[in-house]
Amino acid sequence: RGGKGADEVKGDGKDDDKSGGNEPLFSFSITEAGKEKKQVKKVAFELPVPKNTELLSKPSRALNGRVHAVCYKAELYEEQPRSSKFTPDRKFYHAECCEGLWVCVSRRCGKDILAKACALVRRIVPEKQRALWGAFRSPKWAKDPGPMRIVVLDNRTNEEAGCIPELQDSSRGRNGTSCPFVFTSREDFEEGVGGGSWKPFQLTVHEMTHGADMVIRQLMDPYFHDQVALLWEKHAEKFKIERQKKKSYRWTAILANARQVVSEEEAPERYCYAAANRDEFLAECHTIAQGLHVRSNDYKLCSLSTPEELGKAMPDGLAVL
């Protein structure tokens, strides 16, 4: 997750596998000329529709199909007794609980990064929702029972996900969301990821949105799953990059499996990362709404790089955000 310029946390595919059965935005079929042809698909909701009694929270509207695994009582870790609630390892982390939402920063990053991360959390995440991050429980397939939390690792010493005390395994990468960990990087609170090719905070806000998305669906409203999926279906085509404009920049094309390519032979149609799937649509639109994509060339060419452009093109999406 995170697109070019960001490392990927390996082994977090279950977040996508359990996302509710949404079909990819594009499928490709071979035409008579032997070239791939794009076919836009509608959201395909997987049955059965859950009963309200199966879910941790009651949906605000009738659901269209299965939702994310984090919503189902039977699929979650048991609620932890108060005596065993999460406590960060102070030998590894500088950490602070932001009214329920834990921010855990590798000591190699320094206390100043913890202060910046906590300031960002308190500015972006409403206090009521921060409390819910602390109550979040992971699905049983996750490596940790919860709560949902933010982990900042040091890019200078190449810290990767598996080095944290909670995992101690071979998990690679440091920039991505693998329930219940929202991983991000020290550089995002300084010059920006990729030596400044990304704006500061761009990565963290994107990944934090994935964490918030799961918290909202589990503890506020499972219908948020469907609501965002339908917005993605409605607006994905607006993130298409026109062919006549693709001369000066490196492009990202999203194939059926969300693999990113830059070869015109592989994918003649080009889309911004927001078109990839429901989850990335939400994370990228939120990042745009926070004013963090103003220098992104692909979004500029879709006239969707600023909060104002996003609000004009999809006011219903901005209202949901």
Side-chain angles (χ1 to χ4, degrees):
R1 279 182 181 150
K4 65 178 183 179
D7 296 332
E8 200 171 88
V9 175
K10 306 298 182 183
D12 66 338
K14 285 189 175 180
D15 282 0
D16 297 321
D17 295 342
K18 301 285 185 178
S19 64
N22 295 341
E23 290 191 12
L25 178 62
F26 306 121
S27 66
F28 287 84
S29 60
I30 303 300
T31 66
E32 290 183 1
K35 295 182 179 180
E36 290 176 317
K37 180 181 179 181
K38 174 178 68 73
Q39 296 173 322
V40 178
K41 286 200 171 187
K42 291 184 177 294
V43 176
F45 292 100
E46 180 184 341
L47 297 177
V49 177
K51 299 176 182 177
N52 287 355
T53 54
E54 297 179 73
L55 305 173
L56 207 58
S57 300
K58 183 179 178 179
S60 60
R61 294 179 60 179
L63 296 171
N64 294 288
R66 180 176 169 79
V67 289
H68 196 290
V70 299
C71 301
Y72 293 83
K73 296 175 185 176
E75 297 191 30
L76 304 179
Y77 279 94
E78 294 296 323
E79 188 169 5
Q80 298 292 303
R82 185 173 296 275
S83 60
S84 62
K85 293 290 186 183
F86 171 72
T87 303
D89 185 340
R90 300 288 179 173
K91 293 181 181 178
F92 185 86
Y93 292 123
H94 295 301
E96 182 174 338
C97 184
C98 298
E99 299 72 51
L101 195 167
W102 276 101
V103 179
C104 303
V105 176
S106 161
R107 296 182 73 88
R108 291 181 178 180
C109 294
K111 286 186 177 180
D112 59 326
I113 299 298
L114 175 64
K116 291 179 181 181
C118 290
L120 178 68
V121 162
R122 289 187 168 110
R123 179 171 66 85
I124 297 291
V125 185
E127 185 172 351
K128 180 180 178 181
Q129 191 193 112
R130 297 201 293 271
L132 297 180
W133 282 56
F136 178 87
R137 284 189 278 152
S138 301
K140 294 173 183 176
W141 47 253
K143 294 180 179 181
D144 185 275
M148 186 71 71
R149 53 198 183 268
I150 294 171
V151 177
V152 186
L153 298 178
D154 184 29
N155 60 293
R156 299 168 300 183
T157 56
N158 199 31
E159 287 185 321
E160 296 192 278
C163 76
I164 67 173
E166 300 96 307
L167 293 181
Q168 292 295 294
D169 62 14
S170 60
S171 298
R172 296 180 58 195
R174 68 182 150 268
N175 301 340
T177 299
S178 183
C179 182
F181 304 107
V182 174
F183 287 106
T184 185
S185 184
R186 180 209 62 86
E187 60 187 329
D188 195 48
F189 299 93
E190 295 286 354
E191 70 275 13
V193 172
S197 61
W198 288 27
K199 286 195 69 173
F201 311 129
Q202 183 178 335
L203 168 69
T204 304
V205 169
H206 176 104
E207 295 303 335
M208 205 160 57
T209 306
H210 289 311
D213 188 18
M214 287 185 270
V215 170
I216 291 167
R217 286 180 283 182
Q218 181 180 102
L219 297 170
M220 296 177 72
D221 187 2
Y223 182 72
F224 189 64
H225 182 90
D226 293 17
Q227 187 177 26
V228 174
L230 293 169
L231 284 169
W232 165 66
E233 174 190 87
K234 179 179 178 181
H235 295 298
E237 277 295 305
K238 293 175 182 173
F239 291 96
K240 181 177 179 180
I241 298 169
E242 295 299 328
R243 291 179 63 87
Q244 65 268 23
K245 295 180 179 178
K246 352 178 269 193
K247 296 298 181 185
S248 304
Y249 304 108
R250 183 176 184 270
W251 304 101
T252 296
I254 307 301
L255 297 182
N257 61 358
R259 181 169 59 91
Q260 297 179 62
V261 298
V262 294
S263 164
E264 185 169 349
E265 290 71 31
E266 278 195 272
E269 302 288 349
R270 301 298 170 107
Y271 287 79
C272 298
Y273 195 45
N277 55 47
R278 174 211 173 274
D279 295 359
E280 302 306 340
F281 171 82
L282 178 66
E284 287 292 270
C285 284
H286 184 212
T287 308
I288 294 169
Q290 294 292 347
L292 297 173
H293 263 307
V294 293
R295 65 171 71 159
S296 300
N297 288 323
D298 47 358
Y299 289 103
K300 282 182 182 179
L301 294 178
C302 295
S303 297
L304 281 169
S305 65
T306 69
E308 294 75 20
E309 289 172 336
L310 186 72
K312 184 178 180 179
M314 51 185 81
D316 48 353
L318 193 61
V320 168
L321 291 171

